[in-house]
Amino acid sequence: MSESILSLQHLHKRFGALQATNDVSLDLQQGEIHALIGPNGAGKSTLIGQIAGNIRPDEGRVYLADTEITGMSIAQRARLGLGRSFQVSSLAEPLSVMRNVMMGVQALQSHSFRFWKPVARDQQLLEPAYAALERMQLSHRAWTPVCELSHGERRQVEMACALALKPRALLLDEPMAGLGPEGSAKLTELLEALKREVPILLIEHDMEAVFRLADRISVLVSGSVIAHGDSQAIKQDPRVREAYLGDLDA
Amino acid sequence: MSNHTASSNNASQNTAAKAALAAHANSHFNRKGLVQLALLGLLLLLPVAAYFLGHTYYVNLASRITIIAMAAVGLNLAIGYGGMVSFGHAAYFGLGGYVAGISAYHAFDLTPFMSWPFTVPGSDSMLVVWLVTVLLCALLALAIGAISLRTTGVYFIMITLAFAQMIYYFANSWPTYGGQDGLPIYIRNTLPLADSSNALSYFLICFTGLVLAMAITSRLMKSRFGAALTMARLNDVRLATAGVNPYPIRLVAFVMSAVITGLAGALYADLNGFVSPAMLSWHFSGELMVIVILGGVGRLYGPLAGAVLFVMMETLLGGFTEYWQLFLGLVLLGVVLFAKHGVMGWLAGRERNE
């Protein structure tokens, strides 16, 4: 347990009569991809919200390394090293790719109440941002406005933004959504390379990608984790087959 | 690929970043620059010419345009750059005006503004007036902003309006300083090394104020703070996810915006030799907003272009008919429908994002 980078301990969240999160405990270890799967309405989004900081749990705690982050703001969590991507890319679209990525670098270096020095000539911002883009193989698009990018490229920008924070853990919300086979394959490759440095909590619908990438899988149904294990174990678990996978055989 | 990148490409990555940037930052003199230079040049040269031809009226008209443009520069920082649609900037404009008026009143009367717990005399020095204006506007905007920025959209517009109206009615019902009749400034406040009572000198003071406000805005928006403010306007979820809390960024920008508008208000009261609750009324908040939209929201020279157009229409059309605002309405309609980026967008082309 001491090696956990991210750990959720007995999270509960209730919306009126709906128990959206019911005693969920999860952890993310160094060097792994931990996938979280579950059918629509299983409470994945609510759980992500509690990790990322836009939803407060009713009970339970969230730790990033040894720091409790349960009550922290989104921005505080980000500065502590929690990077995330969104189901629908959330970027400043009129701005260039660089401007988007540079913001994370800026947040990490100091507070943003610096009023004088122009960012456009600030190598302290430009170089780390450019390096993050190179890691995501997107440096050739550095000065392109985000609104001119494809779906897959936007996803890469989001990941570069997360990397700019020098993250300790990554939270990726359906990164394969809407990518198509080619983009999906490319991203799978990038994630495989990435996980050696940063452990990834992956929420994903694309089963092929999950079974290929994930070291461990947790299955969320009606707010509870009903199964937990490696891909073989999950594929064979009768409760999972019943609740979620249906007649999938692979 | 990661091994390769990590070991051998550090140096070339550095130069690549610089090259990308150099190509990017290489801005040439263009139509936009020409329009901006013409606008600022004419605003400076025409009043100087008018003064030496003996038309003091036009010098004062130019001062009026300049001051209103400066107030709009302040509002543009909130609306255009920060995405905070304040419908209460008259509060700061009027506060600046009342600081100038009340200070001059006590200096003229030789009575103290307050005598307990310590004595605060009036002052006829513009430097003192401006300093007090900066402090009071910053405090007021900090309080109003701290509450208003908890809301967004229509609620933000309404709550800023509500605060400004509270101050308007307060000034209206405070008989010591004229109440609804306003307060005259018998002798214009003074500035070292300048004869502020001279129309041209006073215009040059105002012009300097406008240019400084624009230069500061420009520099500010290129800084790290400006980058964060831009991101707060475009996508505040992204800003938070990148590790910057949007609220304090917005609040500081709101305060700066209010201070610029407040200083314009102090200049305006001294120009007219008079301050009244009209400077605090929601009509003026609306006019400032119209000016920002006319000129081009979020454009550095937008407030200036908007103020020129607005005051010109008011002066020229207002001479023919008291219903001149009918024509203002038509022009505004035309701008909103056909030139979304305002007069500056129309004259100088669209702004390019980086």
Side-chain angles (χ1 to χ4, degrees):
Chain A
M1 278 305 288
S2 63
E3 282 184 38
S4 295
I5 301 299
L6 183 69
S7 93
L8 321 183
Q9 293 174 5
H10 306 290
L11 289 182
H12 290 264
K13 182 72 193 181
R14 180 182 276 281
F15 296 111
L18 177 74
Q19 185 77 47
T21 306
N22 186 13
D23 195 25
V24 171
S25 297
L26 278 181
D27 70 317
L28 183 65
Q29 308 284 340
Q30 192 60 266
E32 73 165 352
I33 292 183
H34 188 157
L36 183 69
I37 63 175
N40 285 327
K44 295 190 300 272
S45 300
T46 307
L47 192 59
I48 295 164
Q50 291 168 75
I51 305 170
N54 39 336
I55 300 175
R56 290 282 135 83
D58 298 333
E59 278 176 53
R61 290 154 190 269
V62 184
Y63 287 87
L64 184 63
D66 294 325
T67 314
E68 182 176 351
I69 60 170
T70 321
M72 286 187 183
S73 71
I74 300 172
Q76 276 174 301
R77 289 170 204 233
R79 286 196 303 271
L80 277 176
L82 182 67
R84 74 166 295 191
S85 78
F86 293 84
Q87 200 171 343
V88 178
S89 299
S90 181
L91 294 160
E93 305 221 343
L95 300 185
S96 69
V97 169
M98 265 303 243
R99 290 277 176 175
N100 275 274
V101 181
M102 279 157 73
M103 189 51 63
V105 181
Q106 175 176 326
L108 212 57
Q109 284 178 1
S110 73
H111 58 79
S112 286
F113 297 102
R114 290 181 161 196
F115 303 102
W116 197 247
K117 192 176 175 188
V119 290
R121 273 178 272 131
D122 194 339
Q123 290 299 326
Q124 276 184 310
L125 291 177
L126 290 163
E127 279 169 28
Y130 198 80
L133 279 175
E134 283 201 323
R135 291 264 304 275
M136 281 293 117
Q137 303 180 358
L138 206 66
S139 49
H140 59 290
R141 298 291 243 170
W143 295 107
T144 311
V146 169
C147 55
E148 290 173 20
L149 299 186
S150 73
H151 231 50
E153 286 173 323
R154 286 178 199 209
R155 201 76 73 192
Q156 282 165 268
V157 178
E158 276 204 320
M159 309 261 299
C161 288
L163 286 182
L165 286 166
K166 297 207 171 86
R168 285 195 272 185
L170 283 179
L171 179 63
L172 306 183
D173 189 359
E174 300 200 17
M176 306 293 176
L179 278 197
E182 209 176 302
S184 195
K186 182 172 186 189
L187 194 57
T188 306
E189 198 181 300
L190 285 171
L191 293 183
E192 263 180 337
L194 200 57
K195 77 167 185 183
R196 277 175 244 136
E197 293 159 66
V198 193
I200 298 169
L201 185 62
L202 178 71
I203 291 87
E204 189 50 72
H205 261 309
D206 182 341
M207 283 305 140
E208 210 181 309
V210 166
F211 287 135
R212 181 169 162 203
L213 279 169
D215 301 289
R216 286 192 295 156
I217 299 174
S218 294
V219 185
L220 194 69
V221 176
S222 308
S224 305
V225 175
I226 63 157
H228 178 91
D230 63 14
S231 39
Q232 277 310 315
I234 293 296
K235 276 185 209 170
Q236 281 153 12
D237 191 308
R239 286 170 305 170
V240 176
R241 296 182 77 96
E242 187 199 334
Y244 182 58
L245 294 174
D247 56 356
L248 185 86
D249 51 332
Chain B
M1 70 100 197
S2 55
N3 287 344
H4 172 70
T5 311
S7 59
S8 70
N9 267 18
N10 258 348
S12 72
Q13 164 199 312
N14 190 343
T15 45
K18 277 179 183 155
L21 187 74
H24 168 73
N26 179 19
S27 62
H28 47 280
F29 198 69
N30 49 19
R31 181 169 133 213
K32 184 175 125 189
L34 214 61
V35 169
Q36 293 179 343
L37 193 69
L39 207 54
L40 215 52
L42 285 176
L43 180 66
L44 179 61
L45 293 179
L46 289 181
V48 173
Y51 179 78
F52 288 110
L53 292 171
H55 297 290
T56 316
Y57 168 79
Y58 290 106
V59 182
N60 287 330
L61 185 68
S63 298
R64 185 175 146 74
I65 291 176
T66 308
I67 292 167
I68 290 188
M70 182 173 162
V73 166
L75 183 62
N76 194 33
L77 181 56
I79 294 189
Y81 294 108
M84 301 172 279
V85 184
S86 164
F87 197 4
H89 260 48
Y92 314 110
F93 192 73
L95 180 59
Y98 269 97
V99 170
I102 291 172
S103 184
Y105 168 82
H106 286 293
F108 189 75
D109 254 20
L110 297 172
T111 50
F113 171 69
M114 55 192 252
S115 47
W116 190 91
F118 40 84
T119 306
V120 177
S123 166
D124 65 352
S125 160
M126 283 189 191
L127 292 177
V128 173
V129 166
W130 294 343
L131 185 69
V132 174
T133 300
V134 168
L135 290 174
L136 290 184
C137 282
L139 277 176
L140 182 65
L142 197 64
I144 293 180
I147 297 167
S148 308
L149 285 168
R150 306 247 168 226
T151 68
T152 52
V154 179
Y155 302 101
F156 182 80
I157 299 176
M158 287 300 124
I159 199 167
T160 48
L161 171 64
F163 276 119
Q165 287 300 94
M166 282 163 59
I167 293 161
Y168 168 76
Y169 284 112
F170 180 74
N172 238 326
S173 55
W174 197 7
T176 317
Y177 300 115
Q180 59 185 4
D181 296 330
L183 188 65
I185 300 174
Y186 295 113
I187 300 168
R188 193 174 276 172
N189 291 314
T190 57
L191 195 66
L193 308 175
D195 175 16
S196 66
S197 62
N198 174 285
L200 184 63
S201 304
Y202 196 67
F203 166 75
L204 291 173
I205 292 168
C206 299
F207 186 80
T208 309
L210 172 68
V211 170
L212 277 177
M214 287 168 67
I216 287 170
T217 305
S218 167
R219 183 87 194 191
L220 186 71
M221 290 316 296
K222 288 175 182 153
S223 72
R224 290 187 178 208
F225 178 79
L229 185 63
T230 304
M231 192 74 85
R233 179 184 88 236
L234 294 171
N235 186 342
D236 56 357
V237 174
R238 165 50 54 198
L239 184 63
T241 306
V244 181
N245 190 356
Y247 179 80
I249 299 283
R250 288 199 177 111
L251 185 55
V252 169
F254 189 78
V255 168
M256 290 177 169
S257 154
V259 165
I260 294 174
T261 302
L263 283 170
L267 287 170
Y268 196 69
D270 259 329
L271 173 70
N272 296 332
F274 180 63
V275 51
S276 78
M279 278 178 74
L280 290 160
S281 86
W282 68 271
H283 298 94
F284 187 73
S285 296
E287 281 178 15
L288 273 189
M289 223 186 243
V290 166
I291 286 166
V292 168
I293 294 167
L294 272 181
V297 179
R299 305 279 306 229
L300 185 60
Y301 281 71
L304 175 53
V308 169
L309 192 63
F310 186 93
V311 177
M312 286 307 207
M313 284 184 71
E314 184 186 48
T315 310
L316 297 176
L317 296 173
F320 291 111
T321 165
E322 58 181 299
Y323 302 113
W324 69 275
Q325 290 189 330
L326 175 69
F327 298 99
L328 175 70
L330 289 174
V331 170
L332 189 63
L333 206 63
V335 166
V336 172
L337 287 177
F338 303 113
K340 277 186 190 138
H341 305 282
V343 175
M344 278 311 287
W346 178 56
L347 287 176
R350 285 204 55 180
E351 196 93 306
R352 200 171 53 95
N353 273 304
E354 326 168 310

mmCIF file of all heavy atoms in Angstrom, chain A residues 177-204:
data_model
loop_
_atom_site.group_PDB
_atom_site.id
_atom_site.type_symbol
_atom_site.label_atom_id
_atom_site.label_comp_id
_atom_site.label_asym_id
_atom_site.label_seq_id
_atom_site.Cartn_x
_atom_site.Cartn_y
_atom_site.Cartn_z
ATOM 1 N N ALA A 177 -12.194 7.542 -27.076
ATOM 2 C CA ALA A 177 -13.520 7.878 -27.600
ATOM 3 C C ALA A 177 -13.418 8.720 -28.866
ATOM 4 O O ALA A 177 -12.730 9.734 -28.893
ATOM 5 C CB ALA A 177 -14.323 8.619 -26.536
ATOM 6 N N GLY A 178 -14.079 8.276 -29.908
ATOM 7 C CA GLY A 178 -14.159 9.030 -31.150
ATOM 8 C C GLY A 178 -12.885 9.076 -31.965
ATOM 9 O O GLY A 178 -12.722 9.943 -32.818
ATOM 10 N N LEU A 179 -11.951 8.163 -31.714
ATOM 11 C CA LEU A 179 -10.655 8.266 -32.382
ATOM 12 C C LEU A 179 -10.574 7.496 -33.702
ATOM 13 O O LEU A 179 -9.793 7.847 -34.563
ATOM 14 C CB LEU A 179 -9.533 7.773 -31.463
ATOM 15 C CG LEU A 179 -9.025 8.778 -30.445
ATOM 16 C CD1 LEU A 179 -7.698 8.337 -29.914
ATOM 17 C CD2 LEU A 179 -8.912 10.167 -31.059
ATOM 18 N N GLY A 180 -11.308 6.435 -33.879
ATOM 19 C CA GLY A 180 -11.123 5.609 -35.077
ATOM 20 C C GLY A 180 -9.939 4.677 -34.876
ATOM 21 O O GLY A 180 -9.102 4.931 -34.008
ATOM 22 N N PRO A 181 -9.865 3.618 -35.675
ATOM 23 C CA PRO A 181 -8.860 2.565 -35.425
ATOM 24 C C PRO A 181 -7.418 3.078 -35.475
ATOM 25 O O PRO A 181 -6.590 2.711 -34.633
ATOM 26 C CB PRO A 181 -9.131 1.555 -36.540
ATOM 27 C CG PRO A 181 -10.046 2.213 -37.501
ATOM 28 C CD PRO A 181 -10.736 3.313 -36.798
ATOM 29 N N GLU A 182 -7.127 3.960 -36.420
ATOM 30 C CA GLU A 182 -5.742 4.414 -36.584
ATOM 31 C C GLU A 182 -5.277 5.246 -35.389
ATOM 32 O O GLU A 182 -4.248 4.985 -34.780
ATOM 33 C CB GLU A 182 -5.646 5.247 -37.854
ATOM 34 C CG GLU A 182 -4.297 5.202 -38.508
ATOM 35 C CD GLU A 182 -4.349 5.983 -39.821
ATOM 36 O OE1 GLU A 182 -5.181 5.639 -40.688
ATOM 37 O OE2 GLU A 182 -3.576 6.941 -39.939
ATOM 38 N N GLY A 183 -6.114 6.243 -35.038
ATOM 39 C CA GLY A 183 -5.783 7.115 -33.907
ATOM 40 C C GLY A 183 -5.717 6.315 -32.619
ATOM 41 O O GLY A 183 -4.855 6.545 -31.765
ATOM 42 N N SER A 184 -6.628 5.356 -32.497
ATOM 43 C CA SER A 184 -6.675 4.524 -31.309
ATOM 44 C C SER A 184 -5.383 3.716 -31.155
ATOM 45 O O SER A 184 -4.822 3.635 -30.065
ATOM 46 C CB SER A 184 -7.887 3.603 -31.433
ATOM 47 O OG SER A 184 -8.188 3.017 -30.213
ATOM 48 N N ALA A 185 -4.908 3.176 -32.288
ATOM 49 C CA ALA A 185 -3.682 2.382 -32.249
ATOM 50 C C ALA A 185 -2.484 3.255 -31.851
ATOM 51 O O ALA A 185 -1.629 2.858 -31.060
ATOM 52 C CB ALA A 185 -3.441 1.739 -33.607
ATOM 53 N N LYS A 186 -2.464 4.453 -32.398
ATOM 54 C CA LYS A 186 -1.345 5.354 -32.111
ATOM 55 C C LYS A 186 -1.321 5.736 -30.632
ATOM 56 O O LYS A 186 -0.273 5.730 -29.983
ATOM 57 C CB LYS A 186 -1.469 6.611 -32.974
ATOM 58 C CG LYS A 186 -0.322 7.574 -32.765
ATOM 59 C CD LYS A 186 -0.345 8.708 -33.758
ATOM 60 C CE LYS A 186 0.908 9.545 -33.598
ATOM 61 N NZ LYS A 186 0.873 10.778 -34.377
ATOM 62 N N LEU A 187 -2.512 6.043 -30.105
ATOM 63 C CA LEU A 187 -2.589 6.444 -28.706
ATOM 64 C C LEU A 187 -2.221 5.278 -27.793
ATOM 65 O O LEU A 187 -1.535 5.464 -26.781
ATOM 66 C CB LEU A 187 -3.998 6.960 -28.398
ATOM 67 C CG LEU A 187 -4.157 7.725 -27.089
ATOM 68 C CD1 LEU A 187 -3.207 8.911 -27.058
ATOM 69 C CD2 LEU A 187 -5.579 8.226 -26.927
ATOM 70 N N THR A 188 -2.660 4.081 -28.166
ATOM 71 C CA THR A 188 -2.307 2.894 -27.382
ATOM 72 C C THR A 188 -0.788 2.776 -27.262
ATOM 73 O O THR A 188 -0.250 2.541 -26.176
ATOM 74 C CB THR A 188 -2.878 1.625 -28.047
ATOM 75 O OG1 THR A 188 -4.278 1.805 -28.242
ATOM 76 C CG2 THR A 188 -2.651 0.406 -27.178
ATOM 77 N N GLU A 189 -0.132 3.004 -28.394
ATOM 78 C CA GLU A 189 1.330 2.932 -28.426
ATOM 79 C C GLU A 189 1.947 3.984 -27.491
ATOM 80 O O GLU A 189 2.843 3.692 -26.700
ATOM 81 C CB GLU A 189 1.762 3.194 -29.869
ATOM 82 C CG GLU A 189 3.153 2.759 -30.226
ATOM 83 C CD GLU A 189 3.425 3.114 -31.691
ATOM 84 O OE1 GLU A 189 2.696 2.620 -32.575
ATOM 85 O OE2 GLU A 189 4.325 3.924 -31.913
ATOM 86 N N LEU A 190 1.420 5.208 -27.564
ATOM 87 C CA LEU A 190 1.939 6.288 -26.725
ATOM 88 C C LEU A 190 1.738 5.976 -25.245
ATOM 89 O O LEU A 190 2.626 6.221 -24.417
ATOM 90 C CB LEU A 190 1.240 7.610 -27.066
ATOM 91 C CG LEU A 190 1.666 8.292 -28.361
ATOM 92 C CD1 LEU A 190 0.743 9.462 -28.666
ATOM 93 C CD2 LEU A 190 3.105 8.782 -28.242
ATOM 94 N N LEU A 191 0.571 5.434 -24.908
ATOM 95 C CA LEU A 191 0.282 5.145 -23.504
ATOM 96 C C LEU A 191 1.193 4.048 -22.968
ATOM 97 O O LEU A 191 1.647 4.107 -21.819
ATOM 98 C CB LEU A 191 -1.182 4.736 -23.322
ATOM 99 C CG LEU A 191 -2.220 5.828 -23.576
ATOM 100 C CD1 LEU A 191 -3.617 5.315 -23.288
ATOM 101 C CD2 LEU A 191 -1.938 7.060 -22.743
ATOM 102 N N GLU A 192 1.451 3.057 -23.835
ATOM 103 C CA GLU A 192 2.343 1.978 -23.403
ATOM 104 C C GLU A 192 3.718 2.510 -23.061
ATOM 105 O O GLU A 192 4.347 2.076 -22.091
ATOM 106 C CB GLU A 192 2.439 0.914 -24.499
ATOM 107 C CG GLU A 192 1.490 -0.227 -24.244
ATOM 108 C CD GLU A 192 1.551 -1.298 -25.317
ATOM 109 O OE1 GLU A 192 1.972 -1.000 -26.455
ATOM 110 O OE2 GLU A 192 1.174 -2.435 -25.008
ATOM 111 N N ALA A 193 4.197 3.462 -23.865
ATOM 112 C CA ALA A 193 5.509 4.047 -23.599
ATOM 113 C C ALA A 193 5.474 4.901 -22.339
ATOM 114 O O ALA A 193 6.419 4.948 -21.563
ATOM 115 C CB ALA A 193 5.938 4.887 -24.798
ATOM 116 N N LEU A 194 4.337 5.543 -22.123
ATOM 117 C CA LEU A 194 4.220 6.509 -21.042
ATOM 118 C C LEU A 194 4.150 5.861 -19.663
ATOM 119 O O LEU A 194 4.646 6.402 -18.673
ATOM 120 C CB LEU A 194 2.959 7.344 -21.290
ATOM 121 C CG LEU A 194 2.854 8.682 -20.603
ATOM 122 C CD1 LEU A 194 4.046 9.543 -20.969
ATOM 123 C CD2 LEU A 194 1.560 9.368 -21.028
ATOM 124 N N LYS A 195 3.530 4.694 -19.600
ATOM 125 C CA LYS A 195 3.197 4.152 -18.277
ATOM 126 C C LYS A 195 4.437 3.803 -17.454
ATOM 127 O O LYS A 195 4.356 3.720 -16.236
ATOM 128 C CB LYS A 195 2.301 2.916 -18.424
ATOM 129 C CG LYS A 195 3.032 1.651 -18.846
ATOM 130 C CD LYS A 195 2.138 0.446 -18.653
ATOM 131 C CE LYS A 195 2.909 -0.831 -18.967
ATOM 132 N NZ LYS A 195 2.067 -2.019 -18.868
ATOM 133 N N ARG A 196 5.566 3.640 -18.115
ATOM 134 C CA ARG A 196 6.789 3.355 -17.357
ATOM 135 C C ARG A 196 7.157 4.528 -16.458
ATOM 136 O O ARG A 196 7.730 4.362 -15.405
ATOM 137 C CB ARG A 196 7.942 3.070 -18.322
ATOM 138 C CG ARG A 196 7.952 1.625 -18.796
ATOM 139 C CD ARG A 196 9.029 1.426 -19.846
ATOM 140 N NE ARG A 196 8.413 1.062 -21.111
ATOM 141 C CZ ARG A 196 8.750 1.566 -22.288
ATOM 142 N NH1 ARG A 196 9.691 2.501 -22.354
ATOM 143 N NH2 ARG A 196 8.158 1.155 -23.364
ATOM 144 N N GLU A 197 6.818 5.732 -16.916
ATOM 145 C CA GLU A 197 7.164 6.917 -16.129
ATOM 146 C C GLU A 197 6.026 7.357 -15.226
ATOM 147 O O GLU A 197 6.251 7.765 -14.097
ATOM 148 C CB GLU A 197 7.526 8.070 -17.059
ATOM 149 C CG GLU A 197 8.800 7.838 -17.820
ATOM 150 C CD GLU A 197 8.840 8.706 -19.057
ATOM 151 O OE1 GLU A 197 8.910 9.925 -18.888
ATOM 152 O OE2 GLU A 197 8.776 8.159 -20.172
ATOM 153 N N VAL A 198 4.826 7.333 -15.753
ATOM 154 C CA VAL A 198 3.675 7.820 -14.984
ATOM 155 C C VAL A 198 2.595 6.751 -14.962
ATOM 156 O O VAL A 198 2.153 6.307 -16.014
ATOM 157 C CB VAL A 198 3.068 9.079 -15.653
ATOM 158 C CG1 VAL A 198 2.107 9.756 -14.695
ATOM 159 C CG2 VAL A 198 4.143 10.031 -16.110
ATOM 160 N N PRO A 199 2.172 6.334 -13.792
ATOM 161 C CA PRO A 199 1.067 5.380 -13.748
ATOM 162 C C PRO A 199 -0.223 6.041 -14.237
ATOM 163 O O PRO A 199 -0.418 7.243 -14.062
ATOM 164 C CB PRO A 199 0.973 4.994 -12.272
ATOM 165 C CG PRO A 199 1.586 6.129 -11.543
ATOM 166 C CD PRO A 199 2.631 6.709 -12.434
ATOM 167 N N ILE A 200 -1.086 5.245 -14.859
ATOM 168 C CA ILE A 200 -2.281 5.795 -15.498
ATOM 169 C C ILE A 200 -3.529 5.099 -14.983
ATOM 170 O O ILE A 200 -3.598 3.868 -14.973
ATOM 171 C CB ILE A 200 -2.198 5.612 -17.032
ATOM 172 C CG1 ILE A 200 -0.989 6.368 -17.591
ATOM 173 C CG2 ILE A 200 -3.491 6.079 -17.706
ATOM 174 C CD1 ILE A 200 -0.687 6.031 -19.042
ATOM 175 N N LEU A 201 -4.493 5.902 -14.546
ATOM 176 C CA LEU A 201 -5.826 5.361 -14.267
ATOM 177 C C LEU A 201 -6.661 5.621 -15.506
ATOM 178 O O LEU A 201 -6.902 6.766 -15.876
ATOM 179 C CB LEU A 201 -6.440 6.033 -13.040
ATOM 180 C CG LEU A 201 -7.784 5.462 -12.596
ATOM 181 C CD1 LEU A 201 -7.663 4.005 -12.187
ATOM 182 C CD2 LEU A 201 -8.377 6.270 -11.450
ATOM 183 N N LEU A 202 -7.057 4.541 -16.171
ATOM 184 C CA LEU A 202 -7.665 4.650 -17.491
ATOM 185 C C LEU A 202 -9.130 4.273 -17.412
ATOM 186 O O LEU A 202 -9.469 3.158 -17.024
ATOM 187 C CB LEU A 202 -6.921 3.704 -18.441
ATOM 188 C CG LEU A 202 -7.395 3.594 -19.879
ATOM 189 C CD1 LEU A 202 -7.058 4.863 -20.642
ATOM 190 C CD2 LEU A 202 -6.740 2.394 -20.554
ATOM 191 N N ILE A 203 -10.002 5.202 -17.752
ATOM 192 C CA ILE A 203 -11.425 4.903 -17.839
ATOM 193 C C ILE A 203 -11.726 4.753 -19.319
ATOM 194 O O ILE A 203 -11.467 5.660 -20.099
ATOM 195 C CB ILE A 203 -12.283 6.035 -17.235
ATOM 196 C CG1 ILE A 203 -12.092 6.079 -15.720
ATOM 197 C CG2 ILE A 203 -13.759 5.814 -17.534
ATOM 198 C CD1 ILE A 203 -10.938 6.909 -15.273
ATOM 199 N N GLU A 204 -12.219 3.606 -19.722
ATOM 200 C CA GLU A 204 -12.289 3.364 -21.160
ATOM 201 C C GLU A 204 -13.442 2.445 -21.525
ATOM 202 O O GLU A 204 -13.775 1.521 -20.784
ATOM 203 C CB GLU A 204 -10.940 2.784 -21.627
ATOM 204 C CG GLU A 204 -10.763 2.665 -23.105
ATOM 205 C CD GLU A 204 -11.094 3.945 -23.853
ATOM 206 O OE1 GLU A 204 -10.307 4.892 -23.749
ATOM 207 O OE2 GLU A 204 -12.130 3.994 -24.533
#
